[in-house]
Amino acid sequence: MKSTAIKSIVILISGRGSNMRSIVEARLPLRVAAVISNRADAAGLGYAREKGIAVETIDHRGFPTREAFDAALAAAIERHRPDLVVLAGFMRILGDAFVARFAGRMINIHPSLLPMFPGLHTHRRALEEGVKVHGATVHFVTPSLDHGPIVAQAAVPVLPGDDEQTLAARVLAQEHRIYPMALRWFAEERLVIRDGVVRVTDSKAGGDDTAQLLMAP
Ligand code: NHR
Ligand code: GAR
Protein backbone atom coordinates (compact mmCIF):
# COMPACT_ATOMS: atom_id res chain seq x y z
CA MET A 1 0.00 0.00 0.00
CA LYS A 2 1.12 3.55 -0.76
CA SER A 3 1.77 5.95 2.07
CA THR A 4 -0.54 8.72 0.86
CA ALA A 5 -3.23 10.13 3.16
CA ILE A 6 -6.22 7.92 3.85
CA LYS A 7 -9.00 8.46 1.32
CA SER A 8 -12.57 9.27 2.19
CA ILE A 9 -15.83 8.16 0.62
CA VAL A 10 -19.47 9.25 0.68
CA ILE A 11 -21.95 6.38 0.29
CA LEU A 12 -25.32 6.97 -1.41
CA ILE A 13 -28.19 4.61 -0.56
CA SER A 14 -31.94 4.41 -1.11
CA GLY A 15 -33.05 1.48 1.03
CA ARG A 16 -31.86 -1.50 3.01
CA GLY A 17 -28.19 -0.59 2.87
CA SER A 18 -26.72 -4.08 3.11
CA ASN A 19 -23.95 -3.19 0.66
CA MET A 20 -23.12 -0.09 2.71
CA ARG A 21 -22.97 -2.31 5.76
CA SER A 22 -20.63 -4.79 4.06
CA ILE A 23 -18.33 -1.88 3.21
CA VAL A 24 -18.31 -0.52 6.77
CA GLU A 25 -17.79 -3.97 8.27
CA ALA A 26 -14.86 -4.73 5.96
CA ARG A 27 -12.79 -2.22 7.96
CA LEU A 28 -11.18 -0.85 4.82
CA PRO A 29 -8.42 1.74 4.97
CA LEU A 30 -11.02 4.37 3.99
CA ARG A 31 -12.94 6.97 5.96
CA VAL A 32 -16.71 6.90 5.47
CA ALA A 33 -17.36 10.66 5.64
CA ALA A 34 -21.14 10.39 5.25
CA VAL A 35 -24.06 8.26 4.14
CA ILE A 36 -26.64 10.15 2.08
CA SER A 37 -30.09 8.81 1.17
CA ASN A 38 -32.80 10.13 -1.12
CA ARG A 39 -35.35 8.54 1.22
CA ALA A 40 -35.74 9.45 4.89
CA ASP A 41 -37.10 5.95 5.62
CA ALA A 42 -34.12 4.08 4.15
CA ALA A 43 -33.45 1.25 6.61
CA GLY A 44 -29.71 1.58 6.13
CA LEU A 45 -29.64 5.02 7.77
CA GLY A 46 -30.26 3.48 11.21
CA TYR A 47 -27.18 1.31 10.93
CA ALA A 48 -25.02 4.23 9.76
CA ARG A 49 -26.24 6.36 12.69
CA GLU A 50 -25.42 3.55 15.14
CA LYS A 51 -21.90 3.51 13.75
CA GLY A 52 -21.56 7.25 14.33
CA ILE A 53 -21.41 8.05 10.63
CA ALA A 54 -22.84 11.40 9.51
CA VAL A 55 -26.17 10.75 7.76
CA GLU A 56 -28.22 13.03 5.56
CA THR A 57 -31.44 12.74 3.58
CA ILE A 58 -32.08 14.67 0.38
CA ASP A 59 -35.60 13.74 -0.69
CA HIS A 60 -35.85 13.88 -4.47
CA ARG A 61 -39.58 14.60 -4.18
CA GLY A 62 -38.79 18.01 -2.74
CA PHE A 63 -37.27 19.25 -6.01
CA PRO A 64 -39.06 20.47 -9.14
CA THR A 65 -36.63 18.83 -11.59
CA ARG A 66 -34.03 16.07 -11.70
CA GLU A 67 -31.39 18.75 -12.28
CA ALA A 68 -32.40 20.59 -9.09
CA PHE A 69 -32.18 17.37 -7.07
CA ASP A 70 -28.82 16.52 -8.64
CA ALA A 71 -27.48 20.00 -7.76
CA ALA A 72 -28.56 19.70 -4.12
CA LEU A 73 -27.11 16.20 -3.88
CA ALA A 74 -23.82 17.32 -5.42
CA ALA A 75 -23.56 20.22 -2.97
CA ALA A 76 -24.19 17.91 -0.01
CA ILE A 77 -21.56 15.47 -1.23
CA GLU A 78 -18.97 18.19 -1.92
CA ARG A 79 -19.22 19.47 1.65
CA HIS A 80 -17.53 16.21 2.70
CA ARG A 81 -14.81 16.51 0.03
CA PRO A 82 -14.76 12.75 -0.70
CA ASP A 83 -12.22 11.08 -2.94
CA LEU A 84 -14.92 8.71 -4.17
CA VAL A 85 -18.73 8.65 -4.32
CA VAL A 86 -20.02 5.11 -3.73
CA LEU A 87 -23.50 4.22 -5.02
CA ALA A 88 -24.81 1.30 -2.94
CA GLY A 89 -28.39 0.50 -3.92
CA PHE A 90 -28.96 4.12 -4.91
CA MET A 91 -32.10 4.19 -7.05
CA ARG A 92 -32.13 7.60 -8.79
CA ILE A 93 -30.62 8.04 -12.23
CA LEU A 94 -28.10 10.89 -12.16
CA GLY A 95 -27.88 13.49 -14.93
CA ASP A 96 -24.91 14.17 -17.18
CA ALA A 97 -23.87 17.33 -15.30
CA PHE A 98 -23.74 15.42 -12.02
CA VAL A 99 -21.78 12.55 -13.54
CA ALA A 100 -19.35 14.95 -15.24
CA ARG A 101 -18.71 16.68 -11.92
CA PHE A 102 -17.70 13.39 -10.31
CA ALA A 103 -16.09 11.85 -13.39
CA GLY A 104 -13.70 9.08 -12.42
CA ARG A 105 -14.69 9.57 -8.77
CA MET A 106 -17.96 7.63 -8.66
CA ILE A 107 -18.54 3.89 -8.50
CA ASN A 108 -21.67 1.69 -8.50
CA ILE A 109 -22.68 -1.89 -7.85
CA HIS A 110 -25.23 -3.27 -10.27
CA PRO A 111 -27.03 -6.60 -9.79
CA SER A 112 -26.21 -8.20 -13.16
CA LEU A 113 -23.25 -9.24 -15.26
CA LEU A 114 -23.00 -6.04 -17.30
CA PRO A 115 -23.42 -5.32 -20.17
CA MET A 116 -26.30 -7.78 -19.74
CA PHE A 117 -29.40 -6.34 -18.05
CA PRO A 118 -28.66 -2.68 -17.38
CA GLY A 119 -31.46 -0.82 -15.57
CA LEU A 120 -34.07 -2.23 -13.21
CA HIS A 121 -35.54 -5.68 -12.37
CA THR A 122 -32.38 -7.52 -13.37
CA HIS A 123 -33.17 -10.79 -11.57
CA ARG A 124 -36.64 -11.06 -13.10
CA ARG A 125 -35.22 -10.38 -16.56
CA ALA A 126 -32.43 -12.94 -16.08
CA LEU A 127 -35.04 -15.58 -15.21
CA GLU A 128 -37.22 -14.59 -18.17
CA GLU A 129 -34.25 -14.91 -20.54
CA GLY A 130 -33.31 -18.28 -19.08
CA VAL A 131 -29.64 -17.37 -18.63
CA LYS A 132 -27.68 -19.94 -16.64
CA VAL A 133 -25.09 -17.51 -15.26
CA HIS A 134 -25.98 -14.27 -13.51
CA GLY A 135 -24.16 -12.01 -11.08
CA ALA A 136 -23.13 -8.52 -10.10
CA THR A 137 -20.80 -5.83 -11.40
CA VAL A 138 -18.86 -3.02 -9.76
CA HIS A 139 -18.25 -0.26 -12.31
CA PHE A 140 -17.24 3.37 -12.57
CA VAL A 141 -20.24 5.56 -13.32
CA THR A 142 -20.45 7.28 -16.70
CA PRO A 143 -23.37 9.22 -18.23
CA SER A 144 -24.44 6.07 -20.09
CA LEU A 145 -26.48 4.17 -17.50
CA ASP A 146 -24.79 1.02 -16.19
CA HIS A 147 -22.09 1.11 -18.88
CA GLY A 148 -18.99 2.44 -17.14
CA PRO A 149 -15.59 0.69 -16.91
CA ILE A 150 -15.90 -2.63 -15.04
CA VAL A 151 -13.86 -2.96 -11.83
CA ALA A 152 -15.00 -6.40 -10.66
CA GLN A 153 -17.65 -9.01 -11.33
CA ALA A 154 -19.06 -11.98 -9.44
CA ALA A 155 -20.80 -14.85 -11.22
CA VAL A 156 -23.46 -17.11 -9.73
CA PRO A 157 -25.38 -20.03 -11.23
CA VAL A 158 -29.08 -19.71 -11.99
CA LEU A 159 -30.54 -22.90 -10.52
CA PRO A 160 -33.68 -24.83 -11.42
CA GLY A 161 -36.50 -23.64 -9.19
CA ASP A 162 -35.03 -20.19 -8.62
CA ASP A 163 -37.41 -17.28 -8.25
CA GLU A 164 -36.55 -13.59 -8.09
CA GLN A 165 -35.99 -13.78 -4.34
CA THR A 166 -33.66 -16.79 -4.26
CA LEU A 167 -31.65 -15.50 -7.20
CA ALA A 168 -31.38 -11.99 -5.72
CA ALA A 169 -30.15 -13.44 -2.41
CA ARG A 170 -27.47 -15.52 -4.18
CA VAL A 171 -26.28 -12.47 -6.09
CA LEU A 172 -26.40 -10.21 -3.02
CA ALA A 173 -24.08 -12.51 -1.06
CA GLN A 174 -21.51 -12.01 -3.82
CA GLU A 175 -22.11 -8.25 -3.95
CA HIS A 176 -21.03 -8.20 -0.32
CA ARG A 177 -17.72 -9.78 -1.37
CA ILE A 178 -16.84 -7.79 -4.50
CA TYR A 179 -17.77 -4.27 -3.38
CA PRO A 180 -15.40 -4.22 -0.37
CA MET A 181 -12.76 -5.90 -2.57
CA ALA A 182 -13.07 -3.21 -5.25
CA LEU A 183 -13.00 -0.40 -2.69
CA ARG A 184 -9.87 -1.85 -1.12
CA TRP A 185 -8.19 -1.67 -4.52
CA PHE A 186 -9.31 1.97 -4.78
CA ALA A 187 -7.99 2.73 -1.29
CA GLU A 188 -4.67 1.20 -2.22
CA GLU A 189 -4.54 3.22 -5.47
CA ARG A 190 -4.38 0.07 -7.56
CA LEU A 191 -7.15 0.85 -10.08
CA VAL A 192 -6.01 2.06 -13.50
CA ILE A 193 -8.40 2.76 -16.39
CA ARG A 194 -6.90 2.45 -19.87
CA ASP A 195 -9.03 2.53 -23.03
CA GLY A 196 -12.14 2.11 -20.89
CA VAL A 197 -10.85 -1.06 -19.23
CA VAL A 198 -9.97 -1.23 -15.54
CA ARG A 199 -6.84 -3.04 -14.45
CA VAL A 200 -5.70 -3.78 -10.93
CA THR A 201 -2.00 -3.11 -10.55
CA ASP A 202 0.47 -4.96 -8.33
CA SER A 203 -2.01 -7.65 -7.48
CA LYS A 204 -0.76 -10.13 -4.95
CA ALA A 205 -2.80 -12.66 -6.90
CA GLY A 206 -0.56 -12.13 -9.92
CA GLY A 207 -1.98 -8.98 -11.48
CA ASP A 208 -4.07 -10.68 -14.14
CA ASP A 209 -7.72 -10.07 -14.94
CA THR A 210 -8.98 -13.21 -13.20
CA ALA A 211 -8.41 -11.40 -9.93
CA GLN A 212 -11.33 -9.17 -10.95
CA LEU A 213 -13.76 -12.11 -11.20
CA LEU A 214 -15.20 -14.07 -8.29
CA MET A 215 -17.18 -17.25 -8.86
CA ALA A 216 -19.79 -18.17 -6.29
CA PRO A 217 -18.60 -21.11 -4.18
N1 NHR B 1 -26.54 7.43 -13.07
C1 NHR B 1 -25.77 7.43 -14.16
N2 NHR B 1 -25.67 8.57 -14.84
N3 NHR B 1 -25.08 6.34 -14.59
C2 NHR B 1 -25.21 5.20 -13.92
O1 NHR B 1 -24.55 4.13 -14.37
C3 NHR B 1 -26.02 5.12 -12.76
C4 NHR B 1 -26.67 6.29 -12.36
C5 NHR B 1 -27.52 6.29 -11.24
C6 NHR B 1 -27.72 5.13 -10.55
C7 NHR B 1 -27.46 2.68 -10.29
C8 NHR B 1 -28.30 1.86 -11.28
C9 NHR B 1 -28.19 0.37 -11.02
O2 NHR B 1 -27.16 -0.08 -10.54
C10 NHR B 1 -27.10 3.95 -10.96
C11 NHR B 1 -26.23 3.94 -12.05
C12 NHR B 1 -31.68 3.48 -10.75
C13 NHR B 1 -32.29 3.28 -11.99
C14 NHR B 1 -33.67 3.81 -12.26
O3 NHR B 1 -34.24 3.55 -13.30
C15 NHR B 1 -31.58 2.60 -12.96
C16 NHR B 1 -30.30 2.16 -12.72
C17 NHR B 1 -29.69 2.37 -11.49
C18 NHR B 1 -30.39 3.02 -10.50
N4 NHR B 1 -34.25 4.62 -11.34
C19 NHR B 1 -35.55 5.27 -11.48
C20 NHR B 1 -35.36 6.72 -11.90
O4 NHR B 1 -36.30 7.23 -12.54
C21 NHR B 1 -36.29 5.30 -10.18
C22 NHR B 1 -36.55 3.95 -9.61
C23 NHR B 1 -37.00 4.00 -8.15
O5 NHR B 1 -36.97 5.09 -7.53
O6 NHR B 1 -37.31 2.92 -7.60
O7 NHR B 1 -34.37 7.36 -11.55
O8 NHR B 1 -29.14 -0.36 -11.37
C1 GAR C 1 -28.45 -4.44 -4.43
O1 GAR C 1 -28.73 -5.71 -4.99
C2 GAR C 1 -27.87 -3.52 -5.48
O2 GAR C 1 -27.00 -4.17 -6.37
C3 GAR C 1 -29.11 -3.10 -6.19
O3 GAR C 1 -30.10 -2.95 -5.20
C4 GAR C 1 -29.74 -3.73 -4.07
C5 GAR C 1 -29.55 -2.81 -2.90
O4 GAR C 1 -29.41 -3.55 -1.72
N1 GAR C 1 -28.92 -1.88 -6.88
C6 GAR C 1 -29.74 -1.50 -7.83
O5 GAR C 1 -30.63 -2.21 -8.24
C7 GAR C 1 -29.48 -0.12 -8.36
N2 GAR C 1 -30.49 0.17 -9.31
P1 GAR C 1 -28.81 -2.87 -0.42
O6 GAR C 1 -29.58 -1.57 -0.19
O7 GAR C 1 -29.10 -3.86 0.66
O8 GAR C 1 -27.36 -2.64 -0.65
Side-chain angles (χ1 to χ4, degrees):
M1 196 175 41
K2 301 194 178 143
S3 56
T4 42
I6 191 154
K7 295 184 189 301
S8 73
I9 63 174
V10 166
I11 304 178
L12 305 187
I13 67 169
S14 294
R16 180 176 54 186
S18 72
N19 275 292
M20 169 205 69
R21 188 173 178 143
S22 76
I23 292 162
V24 172
E25 288 180 349
R27 307 198 162 280
L28 302 171
L30 284 171
R31 194 173 77 85
V32 182
V35 171
I36 302 177
S37 171
N38 66 304
R39 295 181 178 276
D41 62 356
L45 290 175
Y47 173 82
R49 270 192 211 98
E50 275 171 33
K51 290 285 160 185
I53 299 168
V55 307
E56 249 167 278
T57 298
I58 300 174
D59 190 334
H60 60 277
R61 293 169 304 183
F63 297 87
T65 62
R66 282 187 180 263
E67 291 69 30
F69 167 70
D70 282 5
L73 180 62
I77 293 167
E78 293 284 22
R79 280 194 283 278
H80 297 283
R81 301 242 159 276
D83 295 290
L84 188 72
V85 178
V86 176
L87 308 187
F90 184 70
M91 296 308 292
R92 298 302 298 176
I93 295 175
L94 300 161
D96 289 1
F98 184 100
V99 176
R101 188 161 170 176
F102 295 101
R105 298 194 285 144
M106 183 156 53
I107 199 166
N108 178 46
I109 189 155
H110 180 76
S112 79
L113 289 175
L114 292 173
M116 272 187 287
F117 311 123
L120 302 177
H121 311 300
T122 57
H123 308 304
R124 184 193 311 168
R125 289 156 60 204
L127 289 168
E128 283 167 359
E129 292 293 344
V131 297
K132 306 308 171 206
V133 184
H134 187 42
T137 303
V138 177
H139 66 97
F140 282 103
V141 175
T142 63
S144 167
L145 185 71
D146 295 327
H147 277 285
I150 291 170
V151 178
Q153 292 189 308
V156 308
V158 180
L159 299 177
D162 266 341
D163 58 25
E164 248 181 282
Q165 285 66 41
T166 58
L167 185 54
R170 193 174 308 120
V171 171
L172 189 66
Q174 300 307 311
E175 295 184 38
H176 296 161
R177 297 176 67 204
I178 56 170
Y179 218 176
M181 180 177 89
L183 293 176
R184 183 177 297 280
W185 292 334
F186 171 79
E188 295 174 348
E189 299 187 336
R190 288 167 58 190
L191 297 180
V192 178
I193 307 178
R194 202 209 308 144
D195 300 331
V197 174
V198 181
R199 298 237 2 184
V200 183
T201 60
D202 302 319
S203 169
K204 286 149 227 149
D208 61 297
D209 291 348
T210 58
Q212 287 164 273
L213 169 66
L214 290 186
M215 305 290 286

